[in-house]
Structures are given as C-alpha cells and as structure tokens.
Amino acid sequence: VKRASVLLDSWLAEFQPLSAAALGLYRIFFAGWLLFSCVPSVSWISKFPRGFFDPPHFSLARFLHGFPAPWVLYFLDNAFVFLLLALLVGYRTRLVSWALPITHLCLNHLRYSFGKIDHDVLLVLLPMVMSFSAWGSCYSVDSRRIPHAARTASAPPRESAISEHWPAAFMALLLSLGFVTAGLPKALTWVDFDLTTSGTEAWVERGFYITGRSELLLPYMIHLKSPIIWELMDYSAVAFELSFILLLWHPRWWKRVVAIACLFHAGNAFMLNISFGLMVGIYALFADWNAVARWVAERPQIQARLNALGSVKTLVMASIIVLPFYWFLRSGAEARDYITPLQLLGWHEGRANLLVASSEFVLLSFVLLKPTGSKRPLSAEASTS
Amino acid sequence: MTGISGAQQFDGRGTRTFVQLLFVLTPAAVVFQLVLMLYLQIEPYPALVMPAGAGVVRHGEPLTIERYELLARAKDTELRQLDQHELLADLPAQYRAKVLRHLFMLAGKPLNRKLAGVPEFLGARSSRQLGFILFEIVVRRSRFVQVSSEGAVEKQREDRRILGTSEAP
C-alpha cells in the first residue's frame, strides 16, 4: 500500500504540473469557451404540461412532481450566465467553482426531463474538481484580495505543489473511466472477427435512417460496402477508447491519446454527424498552458490586460452587457436547450455546427501534439502579476 | 516519474489521504454504475458512464425503424396526421421523438394521471392547426422495415393509443 501511494504521488507530480498563471489562463479559456459555445437554457420548459415530464433514473428532478415555476427557470438561466462571468474574472473562484456545477446540474436535470440525456457530466464536474487547484489565484479578482508580498511569500515552490495539481490528473482519470465504459461493451461485441457484422455500420445506419442525419460524409458512408473497412473501423474505435485507461500511467503518451481523440471527434463529426463539441473545453485542460503562461509573461501589455480582466468592475460591466444579450438569444423563435452567439450566424446546427466543432478539435489536436518546451511551470514569483 | 516522496509534496496528511481515497473510490463507483446500467438496462443521470452503442448490424440485413406520430379528428370524421414539427415547434427537436414515445407508453395505462394536461395542451394546438374543434387525439407507433439501400421502407405494423377524447359541441 505504501509503495502504491508513493507511485500515485509520483504520477500526480508528473501528470500536468501547471503553474498558478497557467491555471488562471485555462480558467479564462474554459469560462470564455463555455460562454461562447454552449450555455444551457431551460426557460422554454415552462410552456409544457406535466405529462411531458419524464426524468431519467437517479435524476434530482424525480423529487419534483412536474416542471418548476417559470421564475425558477428564468433564475437558473441567468444565474448560470452570471456564475460563468464570475469564473471568467475569478471572483470568489472557489465558491463559484462549486455554485456553477450545482446550477449546471439543476439545469441539466430539468432539460433532460423530456426522456433524452446528453453525456456532459465531465463538463459539469470540471469546475468543481478544479476548485481544488490554484486556478483562481492569477488573473482574477481573488488575486487582488491578497497583497502581492503575501502572495509571493505563501506561494508554494513546485516540489510542494501536488495538492494543487492533482485536480488535472483526476480529470484525466474521470475522462479515461468514461471512455472505458464506452469502449468495454463495444470490445465485447465489436471485436468478433466476423466480417459479416459491424458496429460502426450500425451507428451510420441509425444516424441516417432513424435520426435523420445526412450531412458531410454520412450519405456516402451508407453506401460503403467493404466489410474489411467496417471491421477495421470497429477495432480502431475500441482500441482508441480503451487506450485512455491503458496509457493513463504514461502522461506524455496519454496526452497524445487526447490529441488523437480530437481527431476522432472531428472524424465522427464528418462520418456520423455527431459533434460532441463539449469535449473541447475538457481536452484543452491537457494542453501546455505553462508555455502559454511563459508567452504571456514575456508580453507585459497582454499580462496587464489579463490582470485588468480580474476586477469587480469588469464583472459588473460584463453582467450589464452579457445577461441581456443571452436573454435576447434565448427569446429567439426557435426552441433551443442551449444557446450560443453562433446562432446569430446560423452556425449552431447542421453542417455549419459540425464544421465549427471539427475545426475546434483539429486546432486543439495540433496544440496538444506540439512538442512541449521545459516541463517546469513558471516559478511562483514569475507567475504573479 | 520523479520518485519524490509524496508525503513531502502534499500540504498535509489529510489532503493526501483525501486524494488517495478519491483515486480509489471513483473507479469503484464507475464500475458499480456500469454494472447497474447493464443489469437494469437503464440510462441514469448524472452518470460518468458514456454511451457505448455496442449493438452490431449484419451487412445487408434490413433495418427496423420505429416512428411515433400524432393524429387527431373531429367527431364523425377520419383521423388526420398532425404536423408535429409545427405542433411542438417550441420543444427542441432532439426531445420530440422521446416525448411522443413517452406519451405512447402513458396512454397505454388506464386512467393515467400522469397524462394530466397533455390532451388539453395538444388539443388546443391541434385545433388551431387543423381548423376544427377536436374530438379525439391519438398517438400512433409504426414499425417499418427498410427495403432498399436508398432508404425505402415498408410498414410492418402499427399501434394506436388514445391520448384524450372530448365531447364535440
């Protein structure tokens, strides 16, 4: 047991040792990306009668007897956007990192009460897990609360900072476990050495004939008649999904799997018309944010702007502008269970949405595959503003 | 691996134990959730378990497709199909099929209180769409079999269940 715990500590130390500045940059990226890509919305639910209410097993919504009052739905919608803005500027980051997932879960429990669920729990949990890291201690309102001298004095050197970097490693574990649960049942049925059956073809046929998807390469995939290609696709999907857990012990290889995952999702968008774009925010955690932090540290103007972002004034101004803007997006004629500024351009659905998601994934895969420089994060002194 | 002793790297023993417990208990919880899902054949939320979609098809074998539709009629008239995209325009598209399936299941049970409000809700909207006062609203499940690779289908069977009936004036 002692040896296992020492091995675990060593692995945690090596996995994704991000400096406070790097974590602060990732926090800004995550909140900004979520705000831009997929803000869940439930205001539209208030129109429907109780008979439509069909929450999944173990859902908190099962404690309700129907959909809540409209004011509750409007409150949750606006609270989520405000909490995202608070996370963006790093206002009471630890508290917000818990309040945001709780609000997100409430929103999801309600919008998934129509019998269909999406698998976005990792996205929901991420801020909660990251609250144990130092992601609120740079480029944030919180960093202004502590005097500069106290900050530098109390900032831990790298060797004593695992209690700050285990959250990223834990997210990697959660992600790997999620993929195992998808890959293991597939391994039992898809890896059958039988050229007359195919699991990938089942996805293609279901998508085309039942769900009505017909964008990009999917209509061509329907006519693919090569059993060997179908079989190879089956095996590669299983190998890919199980490689997350198999390579988790090797941080460098594991990050390459994440890069391949980005290309896998881009391929899925083209071939199956499934975008799964919400994974971008999670995979981005495993990019080399220390390199970004070094790049920012060498550019005082950018650093000053990022520091200026972390102010109560920014939060107030952003709330005055963004909350009404998202209310306007929600009030569009078309019913949507998540909103994004992309809907103003019509890029939120169909082919455009698939292309946007796959572009994000391809871009991220390049970032993840880019050779990293020094593995050492910025020292605490250099990372503070 | 760095080989640095873990005890030196954590702020305190409590944090270290908490993290170690988290790394041991989480995989156990996911395995439990997966077994529960496979055994009970349910899809819970929230769950770390991702969709497997582990089913396979035999090449060239026809696909069975299930569709749910809403129909309505005035007294002494034939049932007419409703345009559900227009009828449920304010429900996001990905939920429509699930909702109709749910209503079909509920309608199969006698005096189902869970259907409360649904006939009135759909009735008012259907009346506006069809231009007459509704007598009966029905949900229909049809099973089709794909007969060609171009997507042509053939109806195999259909079941109808009454969602609500009212007295026409």
Side-chain angles (χ1 to χ4, degrees), chain A residues 56-58 117-119 121 177-178 180-183 185, chain B residues 28-54:
Chain A
H57 294 272
F58 307 119
I117 63 167
D118 285 340
H119 297 83
V121 170
L177 289 170
V180 168
T181 60
Chain B
V30 172
V31 170
F32 174 73
Q33 209 169 42
L34 184 64
V35 171
L36 199 72
M37 266 182 77
L38 295 175
Y39 182 69
L40 297 177
Q41 293 288 308
I42 55 168
E43 199 174 19
Y45 187 86
L48 278 172
V49 178
M50 284 196 195

mmCIF file of all heavy atoms in Angstrom, chain A residues 56-58 117-119 121 177-178 180-183 185, chain B residues 28-54:
data_model
loop_
_atom_site.group_PDB
_atom_site.id
_atom_site.type_symbol
_atom_site.label_atom_id
_atom_site.label_comp_id
_atom_site.label_asym_id
_atom_site.label_seq_id
_atom_site.Cartn_x
_atom_site.Cartn_y
_atom_site.Cartn_z
ATOM 1 N N PRO A 56 -34.905 11.046 -16.028
ATOM 2 C CA PRO A 56 -34.203 9.761 -16.005
ATOM 3 C C PRO A 56 -34.028 9.234 -14.574
ATOM 4 O O PRO A 56 -34.254 9.959 -13.606
ATOM 5 C CB PRO A 56 -32.850 10.091 -16.635
ATOM 6 C CG PRO A 56 -32.683 11.539 -16.450
ATOM 7 C CD PRO A 56 -34.038 12.157 -16.399
ATOM 8 N N HIS A 57 -33.586 7.983 -14.474
ATOM 9 C CA HIS A 57 -33.340 7.376 -13.162
ATOM 10 C C HIS A 57 -32.260 8.166 -12.423
ATOM 11 O O HIS A 57 -31.308 8.636 -13.028
ATOM 12 C CB HIS A 57 -32.875 5.936 -13.342
ATOM 13 C CG HIS A 57 -33.942 5.057 -13.916
ATOM 14 N ND1 HIS A 57 -34.863 4.399 -13.141
ATOM 15 C CD2 HIS A 57 -34.260 4.769 -15.193
ATOM 16 C CE1 HIS A 57 -35.688 3.726 -13.919
ATOM 17 N NE2 HIS A 57 -35.347 3.931 -15.171
ATOM 18 N N PHE A 58 -32.424 8.288 -11.125
ATOM 19 C CA PHE A 58 -31.490 8.964 -10.211
ATOM 20 C C PHE A 58 -31.436 10.482 -10.427
ATOM 21 O O PHE A 58 -30.626 11.160 -9.811
ATOM 22 C CB PHE A 58 -30.058 8.385 -10.313
ATOM 23 C CG PHE A 58 -30.001 6.900 -10.140
ATOM 24 C CD1 PHE A 58 -29.529 6.082 -11.149
ATOM 25 C CD2 PHE A 58 -30.437 6.312 -8.965
ATOM 26 C CE1 PHE A 58 -29.493 4.703 -10.999
ATOM 27 C CE2 PHE A 58 -30.409 4.939 -8.802
ATOM 28 C CZ PHE A 58 -29.935 4.124 -9.821
ATOM 29 N N ILE A 117 -31.101 12.228 -22.562
ATOM 30 C CA ILE A 117 -29.998 12.887 -21.841
ATOM 31 C C ILE A 117 -28.768 13.009 -22.740
ATOM 32 O O ILE A 117 -28.599 12.243 -23.680
ATOM 33 C CB ILE A 117 -29.630 12.124 -20.543
ATOM 34 C CG1 ILE A 117 -29.104 10.708 -20.846
ATOM 35 C CG2 ILE A 117 -30.773 12.045 -19.588
ATOM 36 C CD1 ILE A 117 -28.456 10.039 -19.658
ATOM 37 N N ASP A 118 -27.931 14.000 -22.429
ATOM 38 C CA ASP A 118 -26.632 14.128 -23.080
ATOM 39 C C ASP A 118 -25.566 13.754 -22.046
ATOM 40 O O ASP A 118 -25.798 13.881 -20.846
ATOM 41 C CB ASP A 118 -26.395 15.569 -23.556
ATOM 42 C CG ASP A 118 -27.206 15.877 -24.799
ATOM 43 O OD1 ASP A 118 -27.614 14.919 -25.479
ATOM 44 O OD2 ASP A 118 -27.448 17.058 -25.069
ATOM 45 N N HIS A 119 -24.423 13.317 -22.539
ATOM 46 C CA HIS A 119 -23.386 12.841 -21.607
ATOM 47 C C HIS A 119 -22.343 13.928 -21.374
ATOM 48 O O HIS A 119 -21.266 13.900 -21.927
ATOM 49 C CB HIS A 119 -22.782 11.544 -22.145
ATOM 50 C CG HIS A 119 -23.809 10.472 -22.220
ATOM 51 N ND1 HIS A 119 -24.680 10.360 -23.279
ATOM 52 C CD2 HIS A 119 -24.171 9.520 -21.338
ATOM 53 C CE1 HIS A 119 -25.511 9.359 -23.045
ATOM 54 N NE2 HIS A 119 -25.225 8.836 -21.884
ATOM 55 N N VAL A 121 -21.478 15.118 -18.126
ATOM 56 C CA VAL A 121 -21.172 15.210 -16.694
ATOM 57 C C VAL A 121 -19.743 15.697 -16.449
ATOM 58 O O VAL A 121 -19.499 16.466 -15.508
ATOM 59 C CB VAL A 121 -21.413 13.847 -16.006
ATOM 60 C CG1 VAL A 121 -20.885 13.841 -14.599
ATOM 61 C CG2 VAL A 121 -22.895 13.555 -15.978
ATOM 62 N N LEU A 177 -12.011 6.850 -17.404
ATOM 63 C CA LEU A 177 -13.061 5.938 -16.946
ATOM 64 C C LEU A 177 -14.305 6.057 -17.834
ATOM 65 O O LEU A 177 -14.945 5.060 -18.165
ATOM 66 C CB LEU A 177 -13.428 6.235 -15.492
ATOM 67 C CG LEU A 177 -12.378 5.848 -14.445
ATOM 68 C CD1 LEU A 177 -12.751 6.400 -13.078
ATOM 69 C CD2 LEU A 177 -12.234 4.334 -14.360
ATOM 70 N N GLY A 178 -14.619 7.285 -18.219
ATOM 71 C CA GLY A 178 -15.764 7.500 -19.120
ATOM 72 C C GLY A 178 -15.570 6.739 -20.421
ATOM 73 O O GLY A 178 -16.489 6.058 -20.905
ATOM 74 N N VAL A 180 -13.645 4.140 -20.911
ATOM 75 C CA VAL A 180 -13.671 2.682 -20.675
ATOM 76 C C VAL A 180 -15.116 2.181 -20.722
ATOM 77 O O VAL A 180 -15.400 1.135 -21.321
ATOM 78 C CB VAL A 180 -13.053 2.337 -19.299
ATOM 79 C CG1 VAL A 180 -13.347 0.887 -18.931
ATOM 80 C CG2 VAL A 180 -11.575 2.522 -19.346
ATOM 81 N N THR A 181 -16.012 2.935 -20.099
ATOM 82 C CA THR A 181 -17.409 2.486 -20.072
ATOM 83 C C THR A 181 -18.017 2.478 -21.469
ATOM 84 O O THR A 181 -18.962 1.740 -21.727
ATOM 85 C CB THR A 181 -18.262 3.373 -19.144
ATOM 86 O OG1 THR A 181 -18.209 4.719 -19.629
ATOM 87 C CG2 THR A 181 -17.789 3.312 -17.725
ATOM 88 N N ALA A 182 -17.477 3.302 -22.357
ATOM 89 C CA ALA A 182 -17.957 3.285 -23.749
ATOM 90 C C ALA A 182 -17.256 2.174 -24.533
ATOM 91 O O ALA A 182 -17.867 1.540 -25.397
ATOM 92 C CB ALA A 182 -17.706 4.636 -24.402
ATOM 93 N N GLY A 183 -15.995 1.944 -24.210
ATOM 94 C CA GLY A 183 -15.194 1.007 -25.005
ATOM 95 C C GLY A 183 -15.352 -0.453 -24.629
ATOM 96 O O GLY A 183 -15.296 -1.329 -25.494
ATOM 97 N N PRO A 185 -18.048 -2.347 -23.396
ATOM 98 C CA PRO A 185 -19.159 -3.084 -24.033
ATOM 99 C C PRO A 185 -18.929 -3.259 -25.532
ATOM 100 O O PRO A 185 -19.295 -4.290 -26.101
ATOM 101 C CB PRO A 185 -20.381 -2.207 -23.759
ATOM 102 C CG PRO A 185 -20.005 -1.379 -22.596
ATOM 103 C CD PRO A 185 -18.543 -1.130 -22.729
ATOM 104 N N ALA B 28 -14.142 2.578 -8.538
ATOM 105 C CA ALA B 28 -15.088 1.606 -7.973
ATOM 106 C C ALA B 28 -16.524 2.067 -8.226
ATOM 107 O O ALA B 28 -17.395 1.271 -8.599
ATOM 108 C CB ALA B 28 -14.833 1.447 -6.483
ATOM 109 N N ALA B 29 -16.769 3.370 -8.048
ATOM 110 C CA ALA B 29 -18.116 3.911 -8.262
ATOM 111 C C ALA B 29 -18.526 3.774 -9.729
ATOM 112 O O ALA B 29 -19.684 3.466 -10.035
ATOM 113 C CB ALA B 29 -18.163 5.379 -7.835
ATOM 114 N N VAL B 30 -17.582 3.997 -10.635
ATOM 115 C CA VAL B 30 -17.900 3.905 -12.071
ATOM 116 C C VAL B 30 -18.210 2.454 -12.452
ATOM 117 O O VAL B 30 -19.166 2.200 -13.193
ATOM 118 C CB VAL B 30 -16.740 4.472 -12.925
ATOM 119 C CG1 VAL B 30 -16.972 4.209 -14.397
ATOM 120 C CG2 VAL B 30 -16.608 5.964 -12.683
ATOM 121 N N VAL B 31 -17.430 1.519 -11.912
ATOM 122 C CA VAL B 31 -17.698 0.094 -12.198
ATOM 123 C C VAL B 31 -19.088 -0.274 -11.685
ATOM 124 O O VAL B 31 -19.879 -0.918 -12.381
ATOM 125 C CB VAL B 31 -16.599 -0.807 -11.555
ATOM 126 C CG1 VAL B 31 -16.993 -2.277 -11.616
ATOM 127 C CG2 VAL B 31 -15.271 -0.587 -12.253
ATOM 128 N N PHE B 32 -19.422 0.173 -10.472
ATOM 129 C CA PHE B 32 -20.737 -0.097 -9.890
ATOM 130 C C PHE B 32 -21.844 0.462 -10.795
ATOM 131 O O PHE B 32 -22.836 -0.204 -11.089
ATOM 132 C CB PHE B 32 -20.809 0.525 -8.489
ATOM 133 C CG PHE B 32 -22.172 0.438 -7.860
ATOM 134 C CD1 PHE B 32 -22.659 -0.777 -7.389
ATOM 135 C CD2 PHE B 32 -22.975 1.564 -7.741
ATOM 136 C CE1 PHE B 32 -23.922 -0.858 -6.813
ATOM 137 C CE2 PHE B 32 -24.241 1.497 -7.176
ATOM 138 C CZ PHE B 32 -24.710 0.282 -6.710
ATOM 139 N N GLN B 33 -21.622 1.701 -11.264
ATOM 140 C CA GLN B 33 -22.615 2.361 -12.127
ATOM 141 C C GLN B 33 -22.788 1.597 -13.450
ATOM 142 O O GLN B 33 -23.906 1.430 -13.932
ATOM 143 C CB GLN B 33 -22.145 3.780 -12.403
ATOM 144 C CG GLN B 33 -23.265 4.751 -12.650
ATOM 145 C CD GLN B 33 -22.756 6.163 -12.651
ATOM 146 O OE1 GLN B 33 -21.696 6.455 -13.205
ATOM 147 N NE2 GLN B 33 -23.511 7.058 -12.059
ATOM 148 N N LEU B 34 -21.678 1.125 -13.988
ATOM 149 C CA LEU B 34 -21.723 0.402 -15.264
ATOM 150 C C LEU B 34 -22.479 -0.919 -15.103
ATOM 151 O O LEU B 34 -23.335 -1.261 -15.927
ATOM 152 C CB LEU B 34 -20.292 0.139 -15.758
ATOM 153 C CG LEU B 34 -20.158 -0.533 -17.120
ATOM 154 C CD1 LEU B 34 -20.706 0.352 -18.220
ATOM 155 C CD2 LEU B 34 -18.703 -0.882 -17.423
ATOM 156 N N VAL B 35 -22.181 -1.626 -14.009
ATOM 157 C CA VAL B 35 -22.865 -2.905 -13.749
ATOM 158 C C VAL B 35 -24.366 -2.658 -13.574
ATOM 159 O O VAL B 35 -25.202 -3.365 -14.141
ATOM 160 C CB VAL B 35 -22.259 -3.597 -12.500
ATOM 161 C CG1 VAL B 35 -23.095 -4.800 -12.077
ATOM 162 C CG2 VAL B 35 -20.829 -4.022 -12.784
ATOM 163 N N LEU B 36 -24.686 -1.616 -12.814
ATOM 164 C CA LEU B 36 -26.091 -1.259 -12.566
ATOM 165 C C LEU B 36 -26.816 -0.974 -13.884
ATOM 166 O O LEU B 36 -27.934 -1.432 -14.120
ATOM 167 C CB LEU B 36 -26.128 -0.015 -11.673
ATOM 168 C CG LEU B 36 -27.419 0.279 -10.927
ATOM 169 C CD1 LEU B 36 -27.610 -0.711 -9.800
ATOM 170 C CD2 LEU B 36 -27.379 1.691 -10.370
ATOM 171 N N MET B 37 -26.118 -0.247 -14.748
ATOM 172 C CA MET B 37 -26.713 0.119 -16.045
ATOM 173 C C MET B 37 -26.936 -1.097 -16.927
ATOM 174 O O MET B 37 -27.983 -1.245 -17.543
ATOM 175 C CB MET B 37 -25.785 1.088 -16.790
ATOM 176 C CG MET B 37 -26.115 2.522 -16.558
ATOM 177 S SD MET B 37 -25.009 3.533 -17.521
ATOM 178 C CE MET B 37 -25.705 3.354 -19.145
ATOM 179 N N LEU B 38 -25.924 -1.964 -16.979
ATOM 180 C CA LEU B 38 -26.037 -3.145 -17.839
ATOM 181 C C LEU B 38 -27.063 -4.125 -17.277
ATOM 182 O O LEU B 38 -27.815 -4.738 -18.021
ATOM 183 C CB LEU B 38 -24.672 -3.825 -17.990
ATOM 184 C CG LEU B 38 -23.599 -2.999 -18.709
ATOM 185 C CD1 LEU B 38 -22.262 -3.722 -18.692
ATOM 186 C CD2 LEU B 38 -24.007 -2.719 -20.159
ATOM 187 N N TYR B 39 -27.124 -4.224 -15.922
ATOM 188 C CA TYR B 39 -28.026 -5.176 -15.291
ATOM 189 C C TYR B 39 -29.479 -4.691 -15.375
ATOM 190 O O TYR B 39 -30.376 -5.442 -15.730
ATOM 191 C CB TYR B 39 -27.590 -5.371 -13.837
ATOM 192 C CG TYR B 39 -28.416 -6.383 -13.084
ATOM 193 C CD1 TYR B 39 -28.349 -7.741 -13.401
ATOM 194 C CD2 TYR B 39 -29.273 -5.990 -12.046
ATOM 195 C CE1 TYR B 39 -29.110 -8.666 -12.719
ATOM 196 C CE2 TYR B 39 -30.033 -6.912 -11.361
ATOM 197 C CZ TYR B 39 -29.946 -8.255 -11.699
ATOM 198 O OH TYR B 39 -30.716 -9.164 -11.018
ATOM 199 N N LEU B 40 -29.687 -3.401 -15.058
ATOM 200 C CA LEU B 40 -31.060 -2.878 -15.036
ATOM 201 C C LEU B 40 -31.510 -2.315 -16.390
ATOM 202 O O LEU B 40 -32.669 -1.966 -16.556
ATOM 203 C CB LEU B 40 -31.202 -1.780 -13.967
ATOM 204 C CG LEU B 40 -30.968 -2.204 -12.517
ATOM 205 C CD1 LEU B 40 -31.065 -0.997 -11.589
ATOM 206 C CD2 LEU B 40 -32.022 -3.237 -12.088
ATOM 207 N N GLN B 41 -30.556 -2.202 -17.330
ATOM 208 C CA GLN B 41 -30.870 -1.650 -18.660
ATOM 209 C C GLN B 41 -31.492 -0.252 -18.559
ATOM 210 O O GLN B 41 -32.529 0.032 -19.150
ATOM 211 C CB GLN B 41 -31.826 -2.592 -19.419
ATOM 212 C CG GLN B 41 -31.203 -3.932 -19.787
ATOM 213 C CD GLN B 41 -30.180 -3.794 -20.918
ATOM 214 O OE1 GLN B 41 -30.473 -3.237 -21.953
ATOM 215 N NE2 GLN B 41 -28.992 -4.296 -20.695
ATOM 216 N N ILE B 42 -30.867 0.607 -17.757
ATOM 217 C CA ILE B 42 -31.362 1.978 -17.619
ATOM 218 C C ILE B 42 -30.230 2.946 -17.928
ATOM 219 O O ILE B 42 -29.052 2.570 -17.906
ATOM 220 C CB ILE B 42 -31.914 2.272 -16.194
ATOM 221 C CG1 ILE B 42 -30.838 1.940 -15.142
ATOM 222 C CG2 ILE B 42 -33.194 1.513 -15.950
ATOM 223 C CD1 ILE B 42 -31.142 2.455 -13.770
ATOM 224 N N GLU B 43 -30.599 4.183 -18.230
ATOM 225 C CA GLU B 43 -29.608 5.214 -18.502
ATOM 226 C C GLU B 43 -29.773 6.318 -17.457
ATOM 227 O O GLU B 43 -30.606 7.194 -17.627
ATOM 228 C CB GLU B 43 -29.814 5.772 -19.917
ATOM 229 C CG GLU B 43 -28.594 6.492 -20.430
ATOM 230 C CD GLU B 43 -28.734 6.930 -21.871
ATOM 231 O OE1 GLU B 43 -29.867 7.011 -22.364
ATOM 232 O OE2 GLU B 43 -27.696 7.200 -22.486
ATOM 233 N N PRO B 44 -29.013 6.245 -16.337
ATOM 234 C CA PRO B 44 -29.210 7.244 -15.282
ATOM 235 C C PRO B 44 -28.550 8.575 -15.607
ATOM 236 O O PRO B 44 -27.672 8.655 -16.463
ATOM 237 C CB PRO B 44 -28.553 6.589 -14.064
ATOM 238 C CG PRO B 44 -27.505 5.698 -14.620
ATOM 239 C CD PRO B 44 -27.935 5.297 -15.997
ATOM 240 N N TYR B 45 -28.978 9.617 -14.918
ATOM 241 C CA TYR B 45 -28.299 10.914 -14.987
ATOM 242 C C TYR B 45 -28.309 11.508 -13.589
ATOM 243 O O TYR B 45 -29.353 11.498 -12.951
ATOM 244 C CB TYR B 45 -28.989 11.870 -15.963
ATOM 245 C CG TYR B 45 -28.181 13.131 -16.154
ATOM 246 C CD1 TYR B 45 -27.167 13.183 -17.091
ATOM 247 C CD2 TYR B 45 -28.392 14.234 -15.336
ATOM 248 C CE1 TYR B 45 -26.385 14.307 -17.224
ATOM 249 C CE2 TYR B 45 -27.609 15.369 -15.467
ATOM 250 C CZ TYR B 45 -26.613 15.398 -16.417
ATOM 251 O OH TYR B 45 -25.827 16.517 -16.543
ATOM 252 N N PRO B 46 -27.233 12.014 -13.061
ATOM 253 C CA PRO B 46 -25.919 12.133 -13.687
ATOM 254 C C PRO B 46 -25.145 10.805 -13.634
ATOM 255 O O PRO B 46 -25.306 10.037 -12.687
ATOM 256 C CB PRO B 46 -25.226 13.188 -12.833
ATOM 257 C CG PRO B 46 -25.903 13.140 -11.519
ATOM 258 C CD PRO B 46 -27.275 12.629 -11.728
ATOM 259 N N ALA B 47 -24.312 10.575 -14.638
ATOM 260 C CA ALA B 47 -23.510 9.361 -14.683
ATOM 261 C C ALA B 47 -22.221 9.633 -15.435
ATOM 262 O O ALA B 47 -22.211 10.358 -16.425
ATOM 263 C CB ALA B 47 -24.295 8.261 -15.384
ATOM 264 N N LEU B 48 -21.142 9.041 -14.924
ATOM 265 C CA LEU B 48 -19.854 9.169 -15.622
ATOM 266 C C LEU B 48 -19.810 8.243 -16.833
ATOM 267 O O LEU B 48 -18.968 8.398 -17.714
ATOM 268 C CB LEU B 48 -18.711 8.794 -14.681
ATOM 269 C CG LEU B 48 -18.248 9.881 -13.724
ATOM 270 C CD1 LEU B 48 -17.258 9.321 -12.746
ATOM 271 C CD2 LEU B 48 -17.632 11.046 -14.492
ATOM 272 N N VAL B 49 -20.708 7.290 -16.822
ATOM 273 C CA VAL B 49 -20.746 6.290 -17.885
ATOM 274 C C VAL B 49 -21.138 6.959 -19.205
ATOM 275 O O VAL B 49 -22.108 7.707 -19.266
ATOM 276 C CB VAL B 49 -21.764 5.191 -17.515
ATOM 277 C CG1 VAL B 49 -21.885 4.160 -18.606
ATOM 278 C CG2 VAL B 49 -21.344 4.532 -16.211
ATOM 279 N N MET B 50 -20.351 6.688 -20.236
ATOM 280 C CA MET B 50 -20.644 7.266 -21.560
ATOM 281 C C MET B 50 -21.442 6.261 -22.394
ATOM 282 O O MET B 50 -21.387 5.060 -22.122
ATOM 283 C CB MET B 50 -19.342 7.604 -22.265
ATOM 284 C CG MET B 50 -18.683 8.851 -21.724
ATOM 285 S SD MET B 50 -17.445 9.421 -22.879
ATOM 286 C CE MET B 50 -16.530 10.556 -21.899
ATOM 287 N N PRO B 51 -22.141 6.736 -23.422
ATOM 288 C CA PRO B 51 -22.945 5.797 -24.207
ATOM 289 C C PRO B 51 -22.044 4.861 -25.016
ATOM 290 O O PRO B 51 -21.124 5.314 -25.685
ATOM 291 C CB PRO B 51 -23.751 6.713 -25.131
ATOM 292 C CG PRO B 51 -22.960 7.963 -25.229
ATOM 293 C CD PRO B 51 -22.219 8.104 -23.940
ATOM 294 N N ALA B 52 -22.336 3.562 -24.917
ATOM 295 C CA ALA B 52 -21.498 2.603 -25.643
ATOM 296 C C ALA B 52 -22.016 2.404 -27.065
ATOM 297 O O ALA B 52 -21.241 2.417 -28.018
ATOM 298 C CB ALA B 52 -21.461 1.282 -24.895
ATOM 299 N N GLY B 53 -23.309 2.256 -27.216
ATOM 300 C CA GLY B 53 -23.865 1.974 -28.547
ATOM 301 C C GLY B 53 -23.179 0.758 -29.132
ATOM 302 O O GLY B 53 -22.654 0.796 -30.239
ATOM 303 N N ALA B 54 -23.172 -0.332 -28.338
ATOM 304 C CA ALA B 54 -22.367 -1.504 -28.708
ATOM 305 C C ALA B 54 -23.087 -2.475 -29.639
ATOM 306 O O ALA B 54 -22.546 -3.536 -29.937
ATOM 307 C CB ALA B 54 -21.920 -2.228 -27.444
#
